[in-house]
Amino acid sequence: MSRLETTDIWRLGVLEIAQAVRHKELSCREVIQAHLHRIEAVNPKVNAITVVLREEALRLAQEADQKLAQGVEVGPLCGVPMTIKENIDLVGSATTCGIPMMKEALPPRDAPHVVQLKRAGAIPIGRTNIPDLGLRPTPGIGYGGRP
């Protein structure tokens, strides 16, 4: 893979990012920064990301880059950005379940699958929108049910 412009990195898939980071064609910081720039450009129109975890994501990317430079073994998803719905626990970020009044609901630990993704090297970059309490306006749709 040739070195990409920062503006194009967000177009890469998980496998492409993981391989580029592992082969030191891209740094974790470059990957995270590219995705943060994309969020800044698009999110005002789509309102998908409610909380951008900029500082924490950049810190984790820097730590991952340092491990890679030292030859420390990293997980298979090292440097891959991820977002987490607001009804999933993530330490340091409120689990609001889409309710603004729950902005202080800071969980004591990450959800089990978040722990696994972080151990694999994925980096949380934002919290994503859900309907209030995660309720769907059309029950049954998407689960094989009839509207």
Side-chain angles (χ1 to χ4, degrees), residues 9-133:
I9 295 170
W10 66 269
R11 295 177 183 270
L12 298 175
V14 171
L15 183 60
E16 293 169 304
I17 290 171
Q19 287 177 341
V21 166
R22 186 165 299 284
H23 295 130
K24 299 182 178 166
E25 295 170 354
L26 291 172
S27 71
C28 295
R29 184 172 179 84
E30 286 174 307
V31 171
I32 297 304
Q33 192 67 55
H35 284 80
L36 292 171
H37 284 307
R38 183 67 179 162
I39 290 168
E40 289 172 8
V42 175
N43 198 54
K45 296 174 190 163
V46 297
N47 191 33
I49 298 183
T50 57
V51 177
V52 178
L53 305 169
R54 172 178 299 284
E55 290 79 21
E56 179 70 2
L58 290 171
R59 183 185 66 75
L60 291 171
Q62 184 67 32
E63 288 176 9
D65 285 334
Q66 289 171 348
K67 287 179 183 177
L68 286 164
Q70 297 167 357
V72 175
E73 184 64 30
V74 295
L77 299 177
C78 183
V80 173
M82 68 174 175
T83 58
I84 301 165
K85 291 283 188 190
E86 285 194 350
N87 61 340
I88 307 291
D89 286 344
L90 174 66
V91 170
S93 179
T95 303
T96 67
C97 294
I99 305 293
M101 287 178 28
M102 294 180 65
K103 65 184 178 186
E104 304 297 324
L106 295 172
R109 67 187 70 75
D110 290 331
H113 67 285
V114 172
V115 170
Q116 291 174 334
L117 287 164
K118 283 178 158 181
R119 281 187 190 147
I123 298 175
I125 61 170
R127 298 301 295 258
T128 51
N129 234 339
I130 63 169
D132 292 354
L133 298 173

